[in-house]
């Protein structure tokens, strides 16, 4: 007869299951990183082999430890990937930059996985496709897993505005930039409007 499962063991099993099914960071190429040797014309790792050992889910991140001599290009367009050339006119192709401004400057590029299905990655630093065609490329298949976390799935909320009083003329609606670069500004505006509203309420009931 099997031994009964204690509450402690049940909780431990639940936590272990959550740990194996949660969101993960995948360091591309492992310790070898994302580099290309111009002397040997070879990348520092076999990225297709590395990718074949991983399980990728929505909400995971790819971590590219690299430098400014390489690029990180993500595309959902297989033709772009096969051609090893980034297409600026393709809405499904993104060139990530860690902000490096000088030759061989160390960079860490974090790329979130936000779309289920085939995702393609390659480097095209010189615009000639040599790095990609020499093996600095890989494709993955992203599974749904736990789905996107709120941080990747929801835009920041619009700033709160107190409804106008009965004697106040209707003001035009507030337009807020919801792009990623405007997220911090939106949050600061949110705090400022909440603070102003709180001050008005305190004065009204003082």
């Amino acid at each position: 007869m099997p031994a009964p499962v204690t509450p402690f063991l049940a909780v431990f099993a639940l936590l272990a299951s959550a740990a194996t099914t949660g969101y993960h960071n995948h360091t591309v190429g492992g310790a070898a990183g994302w580099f290309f040797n111009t002397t040997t014309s070879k990348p520092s790792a076999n990225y297709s082999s590395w990718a074949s050992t991983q399980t990728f889910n929505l909400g995971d991140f790819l971590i590219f430890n690299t430098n400014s001599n390489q690029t990180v290009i993500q595309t959902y367009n297989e033709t772009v990937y096969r051609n090893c050339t980034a297409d600026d006119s393709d809405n499904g192709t993104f060139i990530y930059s860690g902000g490096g401004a000088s030759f061989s400057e160390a960079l860490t590029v974090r790329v979130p996985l936000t779309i289920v299905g085939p995702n393609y990655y390659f480097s095209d630093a010189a615009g000639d496709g040599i790095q990609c065609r020499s093996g600095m490329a890989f494709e993955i298949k992203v599974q749904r897993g736990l789905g996107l976390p709120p941080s990747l799935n929801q835009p920041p909320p619009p700033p709160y505005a107190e409804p106008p009083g009965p004697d106040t003329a209707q003001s035009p609606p507030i337009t807020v930039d919801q792009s990623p670069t405007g997220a911090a500004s939106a949050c600061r505006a949110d705090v400022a409007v909440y603070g102003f509203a709180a001050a008005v309420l305190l004065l009204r009931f003082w």
Side-chain angles (χ1 to χ4, degrees), residues 37-175:
N37 188 321
T38 56
T39 301
T40 62
S41 294
K42 292 182 179 179
S44 58
N46 185 322
Y47 298 107
S48 294
S49 295
W50 169 82
S52 69
T53 66
Q54 310 287 310
T55 299
F56 303 97
N57 293 305
L58 286 179
D60 288 358
F61 274 80
L62 298 183
I63 310 298
F64 292 82
N65 291 324
T66 185
N67 63 30
S68 53
N69 300 352
Q70 291 76 219
T71 58
V72 176
I73 299 173
Q74 178 190 45
T75 185
Y76 307 108
N77 187 325
E78 185 177 0
T79 301
V80 170
Y81 174 68
R82 299 300 175 196
N83 289 338
C84 285
T85 304
D87 185 354
D88 294 337
S89 65
D90 181 6
N91 292 331
T93 299
F94 307 92
I95 302 175
Y96 287 85
S97 171
S102 61
F103 190 73
S104 297
E105 182 177 349
L107 302 173
T108 297
V109 180
R110 302 175 72 248
V111 180
L113 303 182
T114 60
I115 294 183
V116 170
N119 287 229
Y120 306 96
Y121 300 86
F122 63 96
S123 178
D124 185 29
D128 54 12
I130 290 178
Q131 292 186 356
C132 172
R133 285 193 290 271
S134 299
M136 201 162 186
F138 64 97
E139 58 184 285
I140 64 176
K141 187 172 183 180
V142 178
Q143 302 174 13
R144 179 160 298 280
L146 297 177
L148 284 176
S151 60
L152 294 176
N153 194 33
Q154 298 177 2
Y160 171 81
E162 186 178 8
D167 300 328
T168 305
Q170 182 68 38
S171 59
I174 299 174
T175 301

Side-chain angles (χ1 to χ4, degrees), residues 188-204:
R188 286 195 292 270
D190 193 19
V191 172
V193 174
Y194 271 115
F196 175 75
V200 171
L201 289 175
L202 286 174
L203 291 174
R204 185 175 296 174

